[in-house]
Amino acid sequence: MKKLDWDDLRLFLHVARSGGLSAACKAAGTSPATAGRRMLALEEALGCRLFTRSARGYGLTDEGRKLLDHVQAMETAMQPLNAWQEGIRKRSQVRISAGSWTAQFCAQNLSRLWRSSDTFMLAFKSTEARLDLAHREAEIGLRNAAPTSANLAARQLGEVAFAPYRARGSGVENQWIAIDPAAASTPSAHWLNRRTEAEVVVYANAPRMLHDLVRTGLGIAILPCFVGDRDADLERCGSLIEELTSKQWITMHNDDRHRSEIRTVIDRLSRLLSDHAPLFRGERPIGG
């Protein structure tokens, strides 16, 4: 016997309850001709007549009434699942704005920030541009400076250090991979572009691409230590660049910080970043 299609059974339910095709089609969003064909196909698949067709409409046969009982039981059983699905659709979003590197770190530690039992979902906005939290372009921002707007609140975390990195064993010197000056927006990109003695051999248009390029062994790139020190294929080729060391802040709208889902994400972010504070400060992990 042909496998039954739940969409056909749901259409059967509409026809059986309304007693005809026209009313059923309004509920199901299909045409009477299509509905009629599908009911004939359902009868053929089951090998029995489900309806008595007349000028007055569609009446149920004995087999049709039996099928109606089964389908109504299925509909009742589906209600908790439908409610659960609707609840997922209505989950509130907590939008996190972060630069490329920090967003990548959060993604790699997502299980520390979100659980399937949470009543909210996370939405990452990875960008080097600073979204306007005061006008709620995001709920939470991970920043390298304290907010200046009176509408914003912040929680200071640790420090983020930067150093030059090259492919391990490449031995490359004074050949740099940099962000194109036209696309530069971060302090590390501006720092390297100001060094006139640096010989740039490759430009990238986004910080995340620096990681891929430096791994080729063609040049040196300035990376956050929490990125470079975690990559076993890279090595530092210089000391920490002290003038690039910055504080890390979690920033949020002052009116929203007491919302339970935002407070939960802030607390989880704080624990995650605090647990990795030595890595962010540039204190090499063992074997780094």
Side-chain angles (χ1 to χ4, degrees):
M1 184 178 70
K2 180 181 176 183
K3 188 175 181 180
L4 296 179
D5 187 319
W6 171 242
D7 288 336
D8 288 340
L9 293 175
R10 190 159 44 191
L11 180 57
F12 163 80
L13 201 56
H14 288 305
V15 175
R17 285 172 172 170
S18 64
L21 296 180
S22 297
C25 290
K26 289 181 181 178
T30 188
S31 69
T34 299
R37 286 195 299 271
R38 286 172 61 184
M39 291 303 94
L40 285 171
L42 180 60
E43 289 178 324
E44 183 179 347
L46 290 170
C48 65
R49 290 188 65 195
L50 301 172
F51 300 102
T52 57
R53 295 164 175 84
S54 68
R56 294 190 301 273
Y58 277 49
L60 288 173
T61 65
D62 289 341
E63 293 301 327
R65 281 187 284 273
K66 291 177 183 177
L67 179 61
L68 178 60
D69 289 340
H70 288 305
V71 177
Q72 287 183 145
M74 291 171 63
E75 182 185 44
T76 300
M78 287 284 288
Q79 286 174 356
L81 178 60
N82 291 334
W84 171 77
Q85 184 181 32
E86 187 64 22
I88 287 179
R89 289 197 189 104
K90 292 181 178 178
R91 277 179 175 170
S92 62
Q93 288 189 12
V94 177
R95 297 167 296 173
I96 301 175
S97 167
S100 301
W101 301 120
T102 309
Q104 179 193 49
F105 184 84
C106 289
Q108 292 168 342
N109 291 276
L110 184 60
S111 62
R112 295 279 305 271
L113 303 178
W114 185 83
R115 299 161 190 164
S116 59
S117 59
D118 286 334
T119 57
F120 58 86
M121 61 184 295
L122 297 182
F124 286 97
K125 291 178 171 285
S126 175
T127 175
E128 309 314 320
R130 188 165 293 191
L131 297 187
D132 190 348
L133 300 185
H135 289 88
R136 292 180 167 86
E137 289 186 340
E139 279 69 51
I140 297 172
L142 291 167
R143 302 286 189 256
N144 60 5
T148 56
S149 170
N151 292 334
L152 300 181
R155 182 183 297 183
Q156 184 177 328
L157 301 173
E159 295 182 337
V160 180
F162 290 75
Y165 290 87
R166 64 188 175 195
R168 188 173 296 278
S170 67
V172 66
E173 295 183 6
N174 201 35
Q175 289 187 185
W176 293 84
I177 300 170
I179 296 293
D180 189 321
S185 61
T186 63
S188 58
H190 291 308
W191 181 88
L192 181 55
N193 285 325
R194 286 195 302 266
R195 294 174 62 88
T196 56
E197 74 278 13
E199 180 187 352
V200 176
V201 293
V202 182
Y203 277 125
N205 71 332
R208 179 63 184 84
M209 194 173 184
L210 290 176
H211 195 180
D212 297 324
L213 291 172
V214 75
R215 288 169 61 91
T216 67
L218 294 178
I220 301 167
I222 304 300
L223 299 176
C225 293
F226 70 88
V227 174
D229 285 344
R230 285 188 301 141
D231 189 338
D233 293 329
L234 299 183
E235 63 183 4
R236 288 192 202 177
C237 52
S239 57
L240 297 180
I241 303 171
E242 297 296 339
E243 61 190 281
L244 291 180
T245 298
S246 61
K247 300 289 185 183
Q248 192 171 46
W249 299 78
I250 297 179
T251 307
M252 73 293 298
H253 196 284
N254 198 45
D255 293 339
D256 293 340
R257 60 178 170 152
H258 299 299
R259 284 170 47 192
S260 61
E261 66 271 27
I262 294 178
R263 188 170 63 250
T264 295
V265 176
I266 290 171
D267 289 343
R268 290 175 184 174
L269 274 168
S270 296
R271 285 194 294 270
L272 172 64
L273 298 175
S274 295
D275 287 348
H276 291 85
L279 177 66
F280 278 77
R281 287 196 302 265
E283 298 173 8
R284 295 191 191 210
I286 296 174

